[in-house]
Amino acid sequence: MNAEEPTTTAMAPFDNLDGDVILRSTTDRVDFHTFKVILSLMSPVFKDMFTLPQTGLRSGVSSVPVIAVTESSATLEFLLLLCYPAATPTTFGSYSHAAAVMEAAKKYDMQAVLSRAVNLVIAQFLPAHALELYALFCQFGWQNYAQIAATRALEIKDLGRPSYVFNGLRNITGFDYHRLLAYHQECGAATQEVVKSLSYNVQEWMCGQNTTCATAAQFSLLNDPPPWFDEYLDLSGKELLARPCESTLLEPTSFIRATIKAIESAKSHDCNNCKTDLKVMESMGRFRALYVLKVKTAIATVKLADSD
């Protein structure tokens, strides 16, 4: 019979020999010295386990019970740190590390740990891993967090193309994926209603509250906005349909193009206040801020469909 493989002891605070239970990672044979009371408070699974006769492995050093677990030492260390009130882990090693910790917390029914972990995950991995987090939150049945991830996924242009294969896609249902695509499409439709609602008001937009503006008087008899304005709404509307989020409007390409054309158009204005480059840029900035606010408000009215 081969001798049992040697074990190593985890780093502090899990090297405390005063602990009354050891969790041993069978993946890399690392021992974590901890306390039954902490595990019992955090996990009903461990609480029930400790009510049973402890007839399993015993540590040769401290003669305390040893519980073998399948999680790796990296997963187990972070999981236990989230159990300790004074411990404050801040970042996961990777997205896969975070997913493993959350799966372990779910396995042991550690609700408080899951709550701490999900806040860390969102802070660290959104928006770069929005799709992966959406899949993970769907697996856990967390509608509110799935909504957060789906909203950040709006920043992905033309979501749904075959090129968008992501980790976790195999782990969710077709309906969960459909919910994500439908939400993306509905948000795109909501932005188009915003585009339709916008209008060009020379008196209020180009000159602020200057009611004596000569340009306002010049254009008040015209029903149609200048061509550059319609062009900007058309181009930005198409961009929003493909990528329905406020950050789309903050990208410079279409906005700078519209601003340049607005400056050129302003040269023909009768009002010296309107025709300055600075005034036009200020007016464009105010209009875009209004545009962004309206898009943000419209998207907020769209909700991810329930998974039930």
Side-chain angles (χ1 to χ4, degrees), residues 169-248:
L169 181 58
R170 294 182 178 87
N171 300 325
I172 60 175
T173 66
F175 180 64
D176 282 334
Y177 189 52
H178 168 77
R179 289 195 299 140
L180 178 65
L181 299 186
Y183 174 71
H184 198 280
Q185 185 178 42
E186 289 167 13
C187 287
T191 65
Q192 301 310 291
E193 294 302 315
V194 171
V195 174
K196 293 177 184 178
S197 73
L198 296 171
S199 60
Y200 182 83
N201 187 320
V202 173
Q203 184 171 349
E204 294 182 0
W205 190 61
M206 292 299 291
C207 273
Q209 302 302 316
N210 184 3
T211 56
T212 62
C213 171
T215 302
Q218 176 186 359
F219 281 87
S220 61
L221 300 177
L222 301 178
N223 294 322
D224 297 329
W228 65 262
F229 182 80
D230 279 344
E231 181 181 321
Y232 174 54
L233 289 187
D234 180 64
L235 181 58
S236 61
K238 291 177 180 177
E239 292 171 342
L240 284 169
L241 191 61
R243 188 170 174 262
C245 58
E246 57 189 276
S247 60
T248 297

Side-chain angles (χ1 to χ4, degrees), residues 57-69:
L57 296 173
R58 293 271 169 176
S59 168
V61 177
S62 55
S63 297
V64 299
V66 176
I67 299 175
V69 296

Side-chain angles (χ1 to χ4, degrees), residues 54-82:
Q54 304 295 308
T55 58
L57 296 173
R58 293 271 169 176
S59 168
V61 177
S62 55
S63 297
V64 299
V66 176
I67 299 175
V69 296
T70 58
E71 286 73 28
S72 70
S73 59
T75 299
L76 195 55
E77 179 182 31
F78 209 98
L79 182 74
L80 292 175
L81 284 173
L82 291 173

Side-chain angles (χ1 to χ4, degrees), residues 13-16 18-23 32-48 50 67 76-87 108-113 116:
F14 307 115
D15 58 351
N16 188 346
D18 291 332
D20 55 4
V21 66
I22 294 173
L23 298 187
F32 290 79
H33 295 254
T34 184
F35 298 87
K36 291 181 181 179
V37 64
I38 293 178
L39 295 179
S40 295
L41 288 172
M42 301 302 292
S43 166
V45 174
F46 280 113
K47 182 178 180 180
D48 291 343
F50 296 145
I67 299 175
L76 195 55
E77 179 182 31
F78 209 98
L79 182 74
L80 292 175
L81 284 173
L82 291 173
C83 292
Y84 277 52
Y108 298 116
D109 196 14
M110 295 177 168
Q111 295 304 316
V113 169
R116 292 184 71 184

Side-chain angles (χ1 to χ4, degrees), residues 126-136 149 153 156 159 164 166-167 180:
L126 276 181
H129 294 272
L131 294 178
E132 288 86 350
L133 289 182
Y134 173 78
L136 185 64
I156 300 173
L159 180 65
Y164 285 109
F166 54 92
N167 292 331
L180 178 65

